[in-house]
Amino acid sequence: DYAPVGGWARKPEMSLWETRLNQFRHFDLPPQAVLQAHVPFLDPRVPKDVELRNQFWWAMAGGARAFFFECAYNFTHFSNRGLLTWDLREQPDGRCDEVRRLAETARRLESMIADGQPATGRMWTSLGAKVTEANGGAVALRLKRTPDGALWLLLINKSLDRASRATVTLADDAPHFTAQELTPGAGTREFGREHRLVAEIPPGGGACFRLATAPSSPH
């Protein structure tokens, strides 16, 4: 997907993955995402590793239930766009490593990917979740729920060239939560009495937290 940038110049707009996948909800079908790991989508070049990463996170935000990576277009039409070189070595541009990282991340988030649904407006209102500060780049926040009652907080760094340190806050009267980070750098944290959580997000990347009511919560 592209977004115009003055005149005929165009650039890929990754967040459109979420928009398009959300539109498929109308058909009540399990959406799937075919991520572009090799096909040119800006002039004649292939995506960078960070662009592949950003595709993944926006597709996840849109509710993709399965991910396919287009990566084997190496020996047709005299092309060398695949993840491997002519002598079957990994391309030095990092795409192959990125596919591995995304596959690992998808396994960590299996239950949310398979069963996650957008949180209701009532849930958003009761939690009051928002990004109050993002140093390094704009960060999108999404909230999902799964049938087991769990809430999932999803953060996506919109910047493809800068890491972002994002501060998420909840409403003063929201329950106290622990937040288990299920992306690399995993650990369990508490929002604390100030209902604040700080996440470090790489360029084009994301962070996902599984929220659970803290034992000390009066709720």
Side-chain angles (χ1 to χ4, degrees):
D1 288 312
Y2 298 85
V5 187
W8 290 99
R10 296 163 74 85
K11 70 174 183 178
E13 178 53 59
M14 303 299 183
S15 62
L16 289 177
W17 281 84
E18 179 185 25
T19 302
R20 297 289 173 81
L21 285 165
N22 279 329
Q23 291 170 346
F24 277 102
R25 294 183 186 279
H26 173 74
F27 301 101
D28 197 27
L29 295 172
Q32 302 174 351
V34 180
L35 305 183
Q36 296 170 274
H38 76 281
V39 293
F41 64 100
L42 183 62
D43 300 322
R45 70 169 178 82
V46 297
K48 298 177 182 178
D49 54 350
V50 67
E51 292 167 331
L52 176 58
R53 183 186 313 147
N54 210 226
Q55 289 177 49
F56 173 84
W57 283 100
W58 284 116
M60 183 181 295
R65 299 292 191 230
F67 298 89
F68 300 89
F69 295 92
E70 289 186 348
C71 59
Y73 196 72
N74 200 48
F75 299 115
T76 57
H77 305 294
F78 301 101
S79 167
N80 194 20
R81 299 172 183 154
L83 301 186
L84 303 179
T85 62
W86 294 110
D87 56 357
L88 302 182
R89 299 179 185 274
E90 293 182 11
Q91 294 277 15
D93 58 13
R95 284 177 296 150
C96 200
D97 283 338
E98 190 60 43
V99 169
R100 291 195 187 96
R101 284 191 290 268
L102 295 178
E104 178 187 358
T105 299
R107 292 303 301 266
R108 290 172 179 263
L109 304 177
E110 273 186 344
S111 58
M112 193 270 285
I113 292 172
D115 300 315
Q117 297 292 337
T120 63
R122 183 176 180 181
M123 290 179 180
W124 276 103
T125 301
S126 64
L127 290 179
K130 59 184 178 181
V131 176
T132 57
E133 183 180 20
N135 297 324
V139 173
L141 183 149
R142 301 291 184 267
L143 195 63
K144 304 270 187 177
R145 58 184 173 83
T146 47
D148 61 1
L151 291 175
W152 304 73
L153 191 147
L154 183 64
L155 297 168
I156 304 172
N157 186 357
K158 296 180 179 181
S159 173
L160 301 183
D161 53 14
R162 291 177 295 174
S164 185
R165 180 181 174 88
T167 300
V168 179
T169 60
L170 303 181
D172 292 340
D173 58 351
H176 289 281
F177 287 102
T178 59
Q180 181 185 9
E181 186 174 3
L182 296 174
T183 37
T188 300
R189 316 179 195 180
E190 285 197 31
F191 270 88
R193 295 187 180 278
E194 296 182 356
H195 288 77
R196 293 175 68 255
L197 180 144
V198 178
E200 303 283 347
I201 311 173
C208 187
F209 297 87
R210 188 179 188 276
L211 306 184
T213 306
S216 58
S217 171
H219 303 268

